[in-house]
Amino acid sequence: MTALISRPARPLTGAAAVPGDKSISHRALILGALAVGETRIAGLLASADVLATVAAVKALGAQAEQGENGDWRVYGRGVGGLAEPQGVLDMGNSGTAARLLIGVVATHPLTVTFAGDKSLSVRPMERVMTPLRQMGAQFTTRSGGCLPITITGTPSPVPIVYELPVASAQIKSAVLLAGLNTPGRTTVIEPQPTRDHTERMLGHFGTEVVIMVKPGAPGAKEITLTGQPELTGAEVRVPGDISSAAFPLVAALLVPDSKITLTGVGVNPLRSGLIETLREMGAAISIDNPRNEGGEPVADLTVVTSGLKGVTVSGARAPRMIDEYPILAVAAAYAQGVTRLEGLAELRVKESDRLDAIVRGLTAAGIEVEASDDALTVKGGGGPPPGGARIEARLDHRIAMAFLVLGMVAEAPVEIDDATTIDTSFPGFADLMNGLGAAVAAQKEG
Ligand code: S3P
Protein backbone atom coordinates (compact mmCIF):
# COMPACT_ATOMS: atom_id res chain seq x y z
CA MET A 1 0.00 0.00 0.00
CA THR A 2 1.27 3.47 -0.85
CA ALA A 3 -0.15 6.27 1.25
CA LEU A 4 -0.23 9.75 -0.30
CA ILE A 5 -0.66 13.19 1.22
CA SER A 6 -1.97 16.21 -0.62
CA ARG A 7 -1.19 19.69 0.72
CA PRO A 8 -2.76 23.03 -0.25
CA ALA A 9 -1.70 23.78 -3.83
CA ARG A 10 -0.06 26.81 -5.44
CA PRO A 11 -2.16 28.32 -8.26
CA LEU A 12 -2.55 25.63 -10.93
CA THR A 13 -1.27 26.76 -14.32
CA GLY A 14 -0.20 25.32 -17.65
CA ALA A 15 -1.42 22.68 -20.06
CA ALA A 16 -1.66 18.93 -19.71
CA ALA A 17 -3.01 15.93 -21.59
CA VAL A 18 -4.78 13.38 -19.42
CA PRO A 19 -4.41 9.66 -20.28
CA GLY A 20 -6.70 7.92 -22.78
CA ASP A 21 -10.35 7.14 -22.14
CA LYS A 22 -10.80 3.91 -20.20
CA SER A 23 -14.18 2.96 -21.66
CA ILE A 24 -13.01 3.54 -25.24
CA SER A 25 -9.71 1.71 -24.65
CA HIS A 26 -11.49 -1.48 -23.49
CA ARG A 27 -13.83 -1.36 -26.47
CA ALA A 28 -11.04 -0.76 -29.02
CA LEU A 29 -9.21 -3.87 -27.79
CA ILE A 30 -12.33 -6.02 -27.70
CA LEU A 31 -13.59 -5.01 -31.15
CA GLY A 32 -10.03 -5.34 -32.47
CA ALA A 33 -9.99 -8.92 -31.18
CA LEU A 34 -13.28 -9.63 -32.97
CA ALA A 35 -12.31 -7.96 -36.24
CA VAL A 36 -10.55 -9.37 -39.23
CA GLY A 37 -7.14 -7.81 -39.91
CA GLU A 38 -5.11 -5.23 -38.07
CA THR A 39 -6.48 -2.65 -35.63
CA ARG A 40 -4.13 0.17 -34.66
CA ILE A 41 -4.86 2.03 -31.46
CA ALA A 42 -3.20 5.37 -30.68
CA GLY A 43 -3.48 6.79 -27.18
CA LEU A 44 -4.65 3.56 -25.53
CA LEU A 45 -4.85 3.97 -21.77
CA ALA A 46 -2.07 1.69 -20.52
CA SER A 47 -3.58 1.33 -17.05
CA ALA A 48 -4.06 -1.76 -14.90
CA ASP A 49 -7.75 -2.07 -15.91
CA VAL A 50 -7.04 -1.89 -19.62
CA LEU A 51 -4.02 -4.19 -19.37
CA ALA A 52 -6.42 -6.78 -17.88
CA THR A 53 -8.37 -6.55 -21.15
CA VAL A 54 -5.15 -6.83 -23.19
CA ALA A 55 -4.24 -10.03 -21.31
CA ALA A 56 -7.77 -11.39 -21.71
CA VAL A 57 -8.02 -10.84 -25.47
CA LYS A 58 -4.61 -12.48 -25.88
CA ALA A 59 -5.72 -15.45 -23.76
CA LEU A 60 -8.81 -15.68 -26.02
CA GLY A 61 -6.57 -16.05 -29.07
CA ALA A 62 -6.13 -12.53 -30.46
CA GLN A 63 -2.72 -10.91 -30.81
CA ALA A 64 -2.08 -7.58 -29.13
CA GLU A 65 1.22 -5.77 -28.81
CA GLN A 66 2.57 -2.28 -28.27
CA GLY A 67 4.76 -0.90 -31.06
CA GLU A 68 7.86 1.23 -30.61
CA ASN A 69 5.94 4.46 -31.23
CA GLY A 70 3.59 3.58 -28.35
CA ASP A 71 0.60 2.63 -30.53
CA TRP A 72 -1.00 -0.77 -29.99
CA ARG A 73 -1.73 -3.29 -32.72
CA VAL A 74 -4.39 -5.95 -32.41
CA TYR A 75 -4.86 -8.82 -34.85
CA GLY A 76 -8.35 -10.22 -34.41
CA ARG A 77 -9.91 -13.65 -34.84
CA GLY A 78 -13.12 -12.51 -36.55
CA VAL A 79 -16.62 -12.54 -35.02
CA GLY A 80 -17.18 -15.96 -33.42
CA GLY A 81 -13.52 -16.91 -33.77
CA LEU A 82 -12.22 -16.66 -30.20
CA ALA A 83 -10.45 -19.64 -28.61
CA GLU A 84 -10.76 -21.11 -25.11
CA PRO A 85 -8.15 -19.74 -22.70
CA GLN A 86 -6.03 -22.16 -20.69
CA GLY A 87 -6.21 -20.27 -17.43
CA VAL A 88 -8.55 -18.06 -15.44
CA LEU A 89 -9.11 -14.55 -16.86
CA ASP A 90 -8.17 -12.09 -14.11
CA MET A 91 -10.08 -8.84 -14.54
CA GLY A 92 -8.36 -7.13 -11.60
CA ASN A 93 -10.41 -4.11 -10.49
CA SER A 94 -12.28 -3.65 -13.78
CA GLY A 95 -16.06 -4.06 -13.92
CA THR A 96 -16.07 -2.92 -17.55
CA ALA A 97 -13.54 -5.56 -18.64
CA ALA A 98 -15.40 -8.30 -16.77
CA ARG A 99 -18.92 -7.45 -17.95
CA LEU A 100 -18.06 -6.71 -21.58
CA LEU A 101 -15.91 -9.83 -21.99
CA ILE A 102 -18.55 -12.03 -20.32
CA GLY A 103 -20.90 -10.70 -23.01
CA VAL A 104 -18.43 -11.61 -25.76
CA VAL A 105 -17.83 -15.14 -24.46
CA ALA A 106 -21.57 -15.80 -23.92
CA THR A 107 -22.09 -16.53 -27.61
CA HIS A 108 -18.87 -18.46 -28.24
CA PRO A 109 -18.87 -22.24 -27.54
CA LEU A 110 -16.18 -21.87 -24.87
CA THR A 111 -15.92 -22.40 -21.13
CA VAL A 112 -14.13 -19.51 -19.40
CA THR A 113 -13.61 -18.57 -15.75
CA PHE A 114 -13.47 -14.87 -14.82
CA ALA A 115 -12.02 -13.64 -11.52
CA GLY A 116 -11.19 -10.23 -10.03
CA ASP A 117 -9.77 -8.40 -7.03
CA LYS A 118 -11.52 -7.96 -3.68
CA SER A 119 -13.54 -4.97 -4.90
CA LEU A 120 -14.68 -6.58 -8.17
CA SER A 121 -15.52 -9.85 -6.40
CA VAL A 122 -18.40 -8.23 -4.52
CA ARG A 123 -19.86 -6.25 -7.45
CA PRO A 124 -23.13 -7.41 -9.04
CA MET A 125 -22.84 -9.62 -12.11
CA GLU A 126 -26.42 -10.93 -12.19
CA ARG A 127 -27.25 -7.81 -14.22
CA VAL A 128 -25.31 -9.21 -17.21
CA MET A 129 -26.04 -12.89 -16.58
CA THR A 130 -29.83 -12.41 -16.79
CA PRO A 131 -29.94 -11.32 -20.47
CA LEU A 132 -27.05 -13.58 -21.45
CA ARG A 133 -28.86 -16.64 -20.03
CA GLN A 134 -31.82 -15.68 -22.24
CA MET A 135 -29.44 -15.82 -25.21
CA GLY A 136 -28.35 -19.33 -24.16
CA ALA A 137 -25.23 -18.92 -22.00
CA GLN A 138 -24.80 -20.93 -18.78
CA PHE A 139 -23.13 -19.71 -15.59
CA THR A 140 -21.70 -21.21 -12.41
CA THR A 141 -21.19 -18.60 -9.71
CA ARG A 142 -20.60 -18.22 -5.99
CA SER A 143 -23.71 -17.51 -3.95
CA GLY A 144 -24.79 -13.94 -4.65
CA GLY A 145 -23.79 -14.24 -8.29
CA CYS A 146 -20.39 -12.59 -7.91
CA LEU A 147 -16.97 -13.35 -9.42
CA PRO A 148 -15.32 -15.81 -9.77
CA ILE A 149 -17.78 -16.90 -12.45
CA THR A 150 -17.49 -19.73 -14.94
CA ILE A 151 -19.40 -19.19 -18.15
CA THR A 152 -20.15 -21.74 -20.83
CA GLY A 153 -21.07 -19.88 -23.96
CA THR A 154 -23.70 -21.22 -26.30
CA PRO A 155 -23.01 -22.69 -29.76
CA SER A 156 -26.54 -21.72 -30.87
CA PRO A 157 -27.34 -18.23 -29.54
CA VAL A 158 -30.85 -16.78 -29.56
CA PRO A 159 -31.33 -13.07 -30.36
CA ILE A 160 -33.28 -11.12 -27.73
CA VAL A 161 -34.99 -7.81 -27.13
CA TYR A 162 -33.81 -6.66 -23.72
CA GLU A 163 -34.93 -3.63 -21.73
CA LEU A 164 -32.26 -2.45 -19.27
CA PRO A 165 -33.47 -2.55 -15.67
CA VAL A 166 -30.83 0.05 -14.69
CA ALA A 167 -29.15 2.74 -16.77
CA SER A 168 -25.90 0.88 -17.47
CA ALA A 169 -23.71 1.07 -20.56
CA GLN A 170 -21.94 -2.06 -19.35
CA ILE A 171 -25.11 -4.17 -19.49
CA LYS A 172 -26.07 -2.64 -22.85
CA SER A 173 -22.60 -3.37 -24.22
CA ALA A 174 -22.51 -6.95 -22.86
CA VAL A 175 -25.77 -7.73 -24.71
CA LEU A 176 -24.69 -5.99 -27.93
CA LEU A 177 -21.32 -7.77 -27.92
CA ALA A 178 -23.10 -11.10 -27.35
CA GLY A 179 -25.43 -10.14 -30.22
CA LEU A 180 -22.44 -9.85 -32.57
CA ASN A 181 -22.11 -13.64 -32.82
CA THR A 182 -25.89 -14.26 -32.74
CA PRO A 183 -27.86 -14.77 -35.95
CA GLY A 184 -30.69 -12.24 -36.37
CA ARG A 185 -31.41 -8.96 -34.61
CA THR A 186 -30.41 -8.23 -31.02
CA THR A 187 -32.10 -5.19 -29.48
CA VAL A 188 -31.38 -3.31 -26.27
CA ILE A 189 -33.94 -0.80 -25.00
CA GLU A 190 -32.50 1.83 -22.70
CA PRO A 191 -34.98 3.95 -20.75
CA GLN A 192 -32.30 6.58 -20.04
CA PRO A 193 -29.41 7.27 -22.43
CA THR A 194 -26.04 5.84 -21.32
CA ARG A 195 -22.58 6.25 -22.87
CA ASP A 196 -22.68 5.11 -26.49
CA HIS A 197 -19.03 4.24 -27.15
CA THR A 198 -19.86 0.65 -28.11
CA GLU A 199 -22.41 1.75 -30.72
CA ARG A 200 -20.07 4.42 -32.13
CA MET A 201 -17.13 2.04 -32.30
CA LEU A 202 -19.15 -0.74 -33.92
CA GLY A 203 -19.96 1.79 -36.66
CA HIS A 204 -16.26 2.65 -36.90
CA PHE A 205 -15.44 -1.06 -37.41
CA GLY A 206 -18.00 -1.27 -40.22
CA THR A 207 -21.16 -2.61 -38.57
CA GLU A 208 -24.34 -0.64 -38.67
CA VAL A 209 -26.15 -0.18 -35.37
CA VAL A 210 -29.70 1.14 -35.74
CA ILE A 211 -30.81 3.56 -33.05
CA MET A 212 -34.47 4.57 -32.74
CA VAL A 213 -35.91 7.01 -30.27
CA LYS A 214 -38.92 5.57 -28.49
CA PRO A 215 -42.00 7.69 -29.12
CA GLY A 216 -43.59 9.01 -25.95
CA ALA A 217 -40.58 8.13 -23.76
CA PRO A 218 -38.17 11.10 -23.61
CA GLY A 219 -34.53 9.94 -23.79
CA ALA A 220 -35.41 6.27 -24.32
CA LYS A 221 -33.71 4.48 -27.22
CA GLU A 222 -33.95 1.16 -29.01
CA ILE A 223 -30.54 -0.04 -30.19
CA THR A 224 -30.41 -2.90 -32.70
CA LEU A 225 -27.64 -4.77 -34.43
CA THR A 226 -27.84 -7.62 -36.92
CA GLY A 227 -25.53 -10.43 -35.87
CA GLN A 228 -22.63 -12.17 -37.56
CA PRO A 229 -21.29 -9.18 -39.49
CA GLU A 230 -17.69 -9.04 -40.59
CA LEU A 231 -15.87 -6.48 -38.49
CA THR A 232 -12.92 -4.95 -40.26
CA GLY A 233 -9.80 -3.88 -38.35
CA ALA A 234 -9.72 -0.10 -37.92
CA GLU A 235 -7.57 2.82 -36.80
CA VAL A 236 -8.66 4.14 -33.43
CA ARG A 237 -7.44 7.29 -31.75
CA VAL A 238 -8.45 7.21 -28.07
CA PRO A 239 -9.36 10.67 -26.70
CA GLY A 240 -8.32 11.84 -23.23
CA ASP A 241 -10.65 10.54 -20.55
CA ILE A 242 -13.11 13.18 -19.36
CA SER A 243 -13.51 11.18 -16.15
CA SER A 244 -9.77 11.70 -15.49
CA ALA A 245 -9.81 15.32 -16.72
CA ALA A 246 -12.48 15.93 -14.07
CA PHE A 247 -9.85 15.92 -11.27
CA PRO A 248 -7.48 18.66 -12.54
CA LEU A 249 -10.52 20.52 -13.89
CA VAL A 250 -12.24 20.76 -10.49
CA ALA A 251 -8.91 21.46 -8.75
CA ALA A 252 -8.27 24.43 -11.08
CA LEU A 253 -11.79 25.77 -10.52
CA LEU A 254 -11.21 25.84 -6.76
CA VAL A 255 -7.52 26.69 -6.19
CA PRO A 256 -7.31 30.53 -6.29
CA ASP A 257 -5.66 32.20 -9.31
CA SER A 258 -5.55 29.06 -11.45
CA LYS A 259 -5.89 28.67 -15.19
CA ILE A 260 -5.20 25.39 -16.96
CA THR A 261 -5.85 23.83 -20.35
CA LEU A 262 -6.55 20.13 -20.75
CA THR A 263 -5.90 19.12 -24.35
CA GLY A 264 -7.61 16.43 -26.42
CA VAL A 265 -10.38 15.50 -23.99
CA GLY A 266 -13.33 13.35 -25.15
CA VAL A 267 -16.50 15.44 -24.89
CA ASN A 268 -19.11 12.88 -25.90
CA PRO A 269 -22.43 14.44 -24.76
CA LEU A 270 -23.28 11.23 -22.89
CA ARG A 271 -20.15 11.73 -20.75
CA SER A 272 -20.21 15.51 -20.27
CA GLY A 273 -22.79 15.91 -17.50
CA LEU A 274 -20.10 17.20 -15.13
CA ILE A 275 -19.31 20.17 -17.38
CA GLU A 276 -23.02 21.11 -17.55
CA THR A 277 -23.34 20.82 -13.78
CA LEU A 278 -20.20 22.82 -13.01
CA ARG A 279 -21.32 25.54 -15.42
CA GLU A 280 -24.66 25.71 -13.62
CA MET A 281 -22.65 26.16 -10.42
CA GLY A 282 -20.85 29.13 -12.02
CA ALA A 283 -17.72 27.52 -13.48
CA ALA A 284 -15.83 29.19 -16.33
CA ILE A 285 -14.94 26.29 -18.62
CA SER A 286 -14.34 26.90 -22.29
CA ILE A 287 -14.51 24.14 -24.86
CA ASP A 288 -12.15 24.96 -27.75
CA ASN A 289 -11.00 23.36 -31.01
CA PRO A 290 -13.87 20.87 -31.23
CA ARG A 291 -13.00 17.98 -33.56
CA ASN A 292 -14.02 14.43 -34.36
CA GLU A 293 -11.55 11.61 -33.82
CA GLY A 294 -12.56 8.10 -34.86
CA GLY A 295 -16.26 8.78 -34.32
CA GLU A 296 -15.88 10.53 -30.95
CA PRO A 297 -16.06 14.30 -30.28
CA VAL A 298 -12.86 15.75 -28.79
CA ALA A 299 -11.91 19.27 -27.61
CA ASP A 300 -9.49 21.27 -25.44
CA LEU A 301 -10.87 22.47 -22.12
CA THR A 302 -9.68 25.67 -20.47
CA VAL A 303 -10.65 26.31 -16.87
CA VAL A 304 -10.13 29.34 -14.66
CA THR A 305 -10.79 29.68 -10.94
CA SER A 306 -14.47 30.44 -10.43
CA GLY A 307 -16.75 31.15 -7.48
CA LEU A 308 -19.21 28.23 -7.35
CA LYS A 309 -22.66 28.08 -5.82
CA GLY A 310 -24.69 25.07 -4.70
CA VAL A 311 -27.19 23.50 -7.14
CA THR A 312 -29.69 20.63 -7.33
CA VAL A 313 -28.95 17.96 -9.95
CA SER A 314 -31.74 15.54 -10.78
CA GLY A 315 -31.20 11.83 -11.39
CA ALA A 316 -31.97 12.31 -15.09
CA ARG A 317 -28.39 13.53 -15.55
CA ALA A 318 -26.74 10.79 -13.47
CA PRO A 319 -25.85 8.35 -16.29
CA ARG A 320 -24.03 11.16 -18.12
CA MET A 321 -21.72 11.84 -15.16
CA ILE A 322 -21.95 8.62 -13.16
CA ASP A 323 -18.20 8.40 -12.42
CA GLU A 324 -17.86 12.08 -11.50
CA TYR A 325 -19.85 12.24 -8.25
CA PRO A 326 -16.84 11.86 -5.91
CA ILE A 327 -15.08 14.88 -7.44
CA LEU A 328 -18.35 16.83 -7.82
CA ALA A 329 -18.92 16.33 -4.07
CA VAL A 330 -15.54 17.99 -3.46
CA ALA A 331 -16.57 20.96 -5.64
CA ALA A 332 -19.87 21.12 -3.70
CA ALA A 333 -17.97 21.23 -0.38
CA TYR A 334 -16.16 24.39 -1.55
CA ALA A 335 -19.18 26.03 -3.21
CA GLN A 336 -21.39 28.59 -1.53
CA GLY A 337 -24.60 26.95 -0.29
CA VAL A 338 -26.23 23.55 -0.47
CA THR A 339 -25.78 21.08 -3.33
CA ARG A 340 -28.26 18.23 -3.68
CA LEU A 341 -27.45 15.30 -5.98
CA GLU A 342 -30.24 12.84 -6.78
CA GLY A 343 -30.59 9.43 -8.45
CA LEU A 344 -27.35 7.99 -7.09
CA ALA A 345 -28.34 4.37 -6.28
CA GLU A 346 -25.79 3.03 -8.78
CA LEU A 347 -22.96 4.67 -6.79
CA ARG A 348 -23.45 1.97 -4.17
CA VAL A 349 -22.21 -0.74 -6.58
CA LYS A 350 -19.16 0.94 -8.11
CA GLU A 351 -15.53 0.09 -7.21
CA SER A 352 -16.69 0.82 -3.63
CA ASP A 353 -19.98 1.99 -2.11
CA ARG A 354 -19.14 5.50 -3.30
CA LEU A 355 -22.05 7.20 -1.58
CA ASP A 356 -20.85 5.89 1.77
CA ALA A 357 -17.20 6.65 0.95
CA ILE A 358 -18.08 10.26 0.03
CA VAL A 359 -20.17 10.78 3.19
CA ARG A 360 -17.53 9.37 5.54
CA GLY A 361 -14.65 11.12 3.81
CA LEU A 362 -16.27 14.55 3.68
CA THR A 363 -17.48 14.22 7.28
CA ALA A 364 -13.94 13.34 8.41
CA ALA A 365 -12.72 16.47 6.60
CA GLY A 366 -15.15 18.69 8.53
CA ILE A 367 -17.85 19.11 5.87
CA GLU A 368 -21.57 18.80 6.61
CA VAL A 369 -23.10 16.13 4.43
CA GLU A 370 -26.15 13.87 4.44
CA ALA A 371 -27.16 10.88 2.32
CA SER A 372 -30.28 8.81 1.80
CA ASP A 373 -30.44 5.56 -0.21
CA ASP A 374 -29.90 7.42 -3.47
CA ALA A 375 -29.29 11.12 -2.81
CA LEU A 376 -26.54 13.26 -1.33
CA THR A 377 -26.68 16.73 0.19
CA VAL A 378 -23.46 18.69 0.75
CA LYS A 379 -23.35 21.96 2.67
CA GLY A 380 -20.70 24.10 1.00
CA GLY A 381 -18.84 26.76 2.97
CA GLY A 382 -18.02 29.10 0.07
CA GLY A 383 -14.26 28.61 0.53
CA PRO A 384 -11.63 26.12 1.68
CA PRO A 385 -13.13 23.32 3.79
CA PRO A 386 -11.19 22.28 6.92
CA GLY A 387 -9.56 19.06 5.54
CA GLY A 388 -6.97 17.49 7.86
CA ALA A 389 -8.25 13.92 7.49
CA ARG A 390 -6.93 10.47 6.61
CA ILE A 391 -9.26 8.77 4.13
CA GLU A 392 -9.63 5.08 3.29
CA ALA A 393 -9.51 4.68 -0.49
CA ARG A 394 -11.34 1.29 -0.40
CA LEU A 395 -9.66 -0.01 -3.61
CA ASP A 396 -11.46 2.83 -5.42
CA HIS A 397 -9.34 5.03 -7.70
CA ARG A 398 -11.90 7.82 -7.96
CA ILE A 399 -12.34 8.07 -4.18
CA ALA A 400 -8.54 8.26 -3.84
CA MET A 401 -8.17 11.03 -6.45
CA ALA A 402 -11.20 13.05 -5.30
CA PHE A 403 -9.86 13.26 -1.75
CA LEU A 404 -6.37 14.16 -2.94
CA VAL A 405 -8.01 17.09 -4.79
CA LEU A 406 -9.78 17.97 -1.53
CA GLY A 407 -6.32 18.20 0.09
CA MET A 408 -5.22 20.68 -2.62
CA VAL A 409 -8.07 23.06 -1.81
CA ALA A 410 -8.61 22.54 1.93
CA GLU A 411 -7.08 24.44 4.88
CA ALA A 412 -5.15 21.37 6.07
CA PRO A 413 -3.66 18.42 4.11
CA VAL A 414 -5.64 15.28 3.29
CA GLU A 415 -4.08 11.82 3.26
CA ILE A 416 -5.28 8.67 1.58
CA ASP A 417 -4.24 5.29 2.93
CA ASP A 418 -3.69 3.51 -0.41
CA ALA A 419 -3.00 5.04 -3.79
CA THR A 420 -2.30 1.84 -5.70
CA THR A 421 -5.64 1.70 -7.52
CA ILE A 422 -5.14 5.17 -9.04
CA ASP A 423 -3.19 3.28 -11.72
CA THR A 424 -6.39 1.50 -12.82
CA SER A 425 -7.50 4.66 -14.62
CA PHE A 426 -4.98 7.50 -14.23
CA PRO A 427 -1.34 6.41 -14.24
CA GLY A 428 0.83 9.44 -13.45
CA PHE A 429 -1.95 11.32 -11.61
CA ALA A 430 0.32 12.76 -8.88
CA ASP A 431 3.03 13.81 -11.37
CA LEU A 432 0.50 15.47 -13.69
CA MET A 433 -1.12 17.36 -10.80
CA ASN A 434 2.25 18.36 -9.34
CA GLY A 435 3.35 19.60 -12.79
CA LEU A 436 0.38 22.00 -12.70
CA GLY A 437 1.22 23.26 -9.17
CA ALA A 438 -0.21 20.71 -6.71
CA ALA A 439 1.74 19.18 -3.83
CA VAL A 440 0.98 15.45 -3.69
CA ALA A 441 3.66 13.29 -2.08
CA ALA A 442 4.21 9.86 -0.62
CA GLN A 443 3.37 9.75 3.05
CA LYS A 444 5.53 7.70 5.37
CA GLU A 445 3.49 5.12 7.25
CA GLY A 446 3.04 5.47 11.01
C1 S3P B 1 -18.62 2.16 -18.09
C2 S3P B 1 -19.90 2.37 -17.71
C3 S3P B 1 -20.27 2.85 -16.35
C4 S3P B 1 -19.09 3.49 -15.62
C5 S3P B 1 -17.84 2.68 -15.75
C6 S3P B 1 -17.47 2.46 -17.21
C7 S3P B 1 -18.36 1.61 -19.44
O1 S3P B 1 -20.73 1.76 -15.60
O2 S3P B 1 -19.40 3.67 -14.27
O3 S3P B 1 -16.77 3.32 -15.10
O4 S3P B 1 -17.22 1.66 -19.91
O5 S3P B 1 -19.33 1.12 -20.04
P1 S3P B 1 -22.29 1.29 -15.73
O6 S3P B 1 -22.52 1.06 -17.15
O7 S3P B 1 -22.40 0.03 -14.95
O8 S3P B 1 -23.07 2.41 -15.15
Side-chain angles (χ1 to χ4, degrees), residues 4-23:
L4 287 182
I5 183 161
S6 175
R7 300 191 164 81
R10 299 193 308 271
L12 302 180
T13 54
V18 295
D21 187 277
K22 183 152 71 71
S23 293

Side-chain angles (χ1 to χ4, degrees), residues 21-24 26-27 49 95-97 99-100 123 127 166-173 194-195 197-198 243 271 319 321-324 346-347 349-351 354 397-398:
D21 187 277
K22 183 152 71 71
S23 293
I24 296 174
H26 286 299
R27 286 158 172 83
D49 271 17
T96 308
R99 296 193 179 109
L100 268 53
R123 294 183 65 189
R127 49 180 56 199
V166 281
S168 162
Q170 294 184 358
I171 309 177
K172 169 176 68 176
S173 301
T194 66
R195 66 188 69 192
H197 305 303
T198 303
S243 297
R271 295 285 299 282
M321 50 182 287
I322 192 65
D323 292 334
E324 280 61 81
E346 277 294 296
L347 291 196
V349 292
K350 293 295 177 190
E351 285 82 332
R354 284 191 178 152
H397 52 134
R398 300 201 201 282

Side-chain angles (χ1 to χ4, degrees), residues 89-281:
L89 298 189
D90 183 358
M91 301 291 99
N93 191 251
S94 178
T96 308
R99 296 193 179 109
L100 268 53
L101 286 164
I102 286 173
V104 170
V105 170
T107 54
H108 280 73
L110 312 172
T111 293
V112 181
T113 300
F114 288 87
D117 73 1
K118 248 172 137 174
S119 150
L120 186 55
S121 299
V122 295
R123 294 183 65 189
M125 292 293 150
E126 194 51 55
R127 49 180 56 199
V128 288
M129 291 191 288
T130 300
L132 298 174
R133 272 194 207 98
Q134 292 172 17
M135 298 178 88
Q138 294 181 325
F139 295 92
T140 308
T141 72
R142 295 193 296 132
S143 56
C146 292
L147 294 186
I149 284 175
T150 297
I151 171 171
T152 299
T154 174
S156 39
V158 180
I160 58 169
V161 175
Y162 190 69
E163 178 156 348
L164 299 181
V166 281
S168 162
Q170 294 184 358
I171 309 177
K172 169 176 68 176
S173 301
V175 174
L176 291 175
L177 290 170
L180 273 181
N181 195 33
T182 303
R185 284 145 51 97
T186 296
T187 298
V188 176
I189 300 171
E190 54 176 16
Q192 269 182 288
T194 66
R195 66 188 69 192
D196 59 357
H197 305 303
T198 303
E199 300 90 303
R200 284 174 186 256
M201 200 172 286
L202 279 166
H204 190 62
F205 277 73
T207 295
E208 201 195 352
V209 180
V210 179
I211 298 168
M212 302 220 308
V213 265
K214 289 218 18 156
K221 287 193 230 164
E222 240 182 58
I223 301 147
T224 299
L225 65 76
T226 302
Q228 301 182 321
E230 184 164 290
L231 297 184
T232 315
E235 304 239 331
V236 180
R237 178 155 206 94
V238 181
D241 197 327
I242 191 165
S243 297
S244 297
F247 299 100
L249 193 151
V250 167
L253 283 174
L254 305 183
V255 175
D257 303 320
S258 297
K259 179 177 182 184
I260 63 165
T261 296
L262 300 165
T263 52
V265 180
V267 287
N268 182 316
L270 295 172
R271 295 285 299 282
S272 323
L274 178 73
I275 295 181
E276 282 164 53
T277 302
L278 290 170
R279 281 178 163 170
E280 284 167 13
M281 295 173 84

